[in-house]
Amino acid sequence: MTALNTLQIDTGPNPEITIIWLHGLGASGHDFEPVVPEFTFSRQRPVRFIFPHAPELPVTVNGGMVMPAWYDILAMDVDRKVDADQLRTSASRVAELIRQERERGVASEHIILGGFSQGGAVAYELALSYPERLGGLFALSTYFATAETIELNDANRQLPVFIGHGRFDPVVQESLGQSALQRLKSLGYSVEYHHYAMEHSLCMEEVQDLDHFLAAVLDGNASPLD
């Protein structure tokens, strides 16, 4: 399996915490690089941010155009028909990044996985099926593409989850974020849900809420807000 190229940002020497953040369709690992200085939790302790770059794939809904994508989107219907095999392959490639962090000495519960849009769908699949306890999951402007097929792992049944979504998102409607919320709650997960007056994007209020969530997760004080 071809290794993913990544952008790595360490906020201090010898970090013992890793955040792996997956970008959306047509973007790159640089997409959320400017957000790092806005966080306060990572100023208080060294944190390694890893931003993987998705492979180049033809995307059916974009006329077969080749672009950075974690998986093919076959139809833009309400439930988002996607190539689930490609999604799981991407999840496996990101899992290799987790393995590398474990080899660097980072405890699995100090590894937090998240993503935006397509990246969030991959993050859902990987985090909830991963065989070692992770620190947390954040899903931004995304949907739970593999909700009906995922093989959940008991190691992450107590995983704290942050969902953020724009109320005016024309690309991934908020109803998809709310569907993910309800699905996760029905499975017994602790979920913190926020929505914002924005479209398919990231806003400073969301960054601040995510900052608080990540700090609470790392301090062991995460609790659901919905």
Side-chain angles (χ1 to χ4, degrees), residues 41-135:
F41 83 93
S42 54
R43 297 178 203 159
Q44 299 163 3
R45 67 204 103 185
V47 176
R48 174 176 295 125
F49 288 86
I50 296 178
F51 299 99
H53 305 294
E56 299 275 332
L57 298 174
V59 177
T60 300
V61 295
N62 287 345
M65 185 181 301
V66 175
M67 61 182 62
W70 297 109
Y71 52 86
D72 189 16
I73 299 176
L74 306 172
M76 295 287 279
D77 52 16
V78 173
D79 294 321
R80 287 299 172 97
K81 187 177 180 182
V82 307
D83 188 321
D85 287 339
Q86 285 183 343
L87 189 156
R88 285 188 286 267
T89 296
S90 287
S92 295
R93 295 174 79 177
V94 178
E96 180 63 15
L97 298 178
I98 297 178
R99 186 191 67 78
Q100 291 173 8
E101 289 306 291
R102 297 286 286 115
E103 288 185 348
R104 283 169 140 177
V106 179
S108 65
E109 61 268 24
H110 288 166
I111 299 173
I112 298 172
L113 184 64
F116 177 87
S117 198
Q118 262 206 349
V122 175
Y124 271 133
E125 170 67 25
L126 177 55
L128 300 180
S129 65
Y130 198 72
E132 289 187 300
R133 173 62 192 266
L134 299 174

Side-chain angles (χ1 to χ4, degrees), residues 19-23 32 35 39 50-52 114-116 138 140 210:
I19 311 291
I20 301 175
W21 189 330
L22 310 182
H23 64 76
F32 296 105
V35 179
F39 287 126
I50 296 178
F51 299 99
F116 177 87
F138 58 94
L140 312 177
L210 181 57

